[in-house]
């Protein structure tokens, strides 16, 4: 995120509301990447395992997400919320400097 000045008004771009959605999209993308990875094909090690691979979905890690503990997923969402909240507070502290841009310099110089 950036704090930009437009028409003498400080603004956060992109808006902080979009931060949570973007972070969760990135997390979802990471889970998708992991889920789309190919498992080691056991046919290469056929002397150790059964060579019959009936379920094609078992060739990927897509079911791995379902096996993640619920408390771990909740922790991810809590951490994202904490990050967005602290980022919002930080951006808000910078936006408080808007008053400096609104001050007429001639008034300051005359005093």
């Amino acid at each position: 995120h950036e704090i930009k000045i437009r028409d003498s008004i400080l603004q956060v771009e992109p808006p902080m509301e979009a931060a949570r959605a973007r972070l969760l999209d990135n997390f979802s993308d990471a889970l998708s990447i992991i889920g789309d990875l190919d498992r080691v094909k056991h046919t290469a090690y056929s002397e150790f395992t059964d060579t019959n691979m009936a379920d094609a979905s078992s060739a990927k890690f897509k079911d791995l997400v379902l096996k993640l503990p619920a408390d771990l997923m909740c922790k991810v969402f809590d951490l994202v919320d904490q990050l967005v909240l602290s980022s919002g507070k930080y951006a808000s502290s910078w936006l408080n400097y808007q008053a400096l841009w609104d001050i007429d310099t001639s008034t300051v110089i005359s005093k």
Side-chain angles (χ1 to χ4, degrees):
H1 293 278
E2 296 177 339
I3 297 179
K4 295 183 177 182
I5 301 172
R6 266 203 197 117
D7 299 325
S8 297
I9 296 175
L10 295 172
Q11 297 176 335
V12 177
E13 289 205 6
M16 290 305 299
E17 295 81 24
R20 184 176 192 276
R22 187 165 185 168
L23 288 170
L24 292 176
D25 282 345
N26 289 344
F27 178 66
S28 177
D29 291 345
L31 289 178
S32 294
I33 289 170
I34 293 168
D36 285 338
L37 290 174
D38 292 329
R39 291 183 186 254
V40 175
K41 294 186 179 26
H42 62 65
T43 56
Y45 308 100
S46 60
E47 65 258 13
F48 301 114
T49 61
D50 181 19
T51 57
N52 182 15
M53 184 185 282
D55 188 10
S57 67
S58 66
K60 304 269 184 193
F61 286 102
K62 290 190 183 294
D63 61 335
L64 188 64
V65 175
L66 300 175
K67 295 179 182 180
L68 290 174
D71 60 331
L72 180 64
M73 296 298 285
C74 288
K75 186 174 181 177
V76 168
F77 288 106
D78 288 343
L79 288 172
V80 167
D81 288 340
Q82 288 174 12
L83 181 63
V84 170
L85 183 63
S86 65
S87 299
K89 287 179 181 177
Y90 179 74
S92 179
S93 69
W94 275 98
L95 294 177
N96 287 333
Y97 291 110
Q98 178 65 46
L100 295 176
W101 290 101
D102 295 338
I103 293 176
D104 183 20
T105 54
S106 60
T107 306
V108 174
I109 293 172
S110 68
K111 292 185 179 189

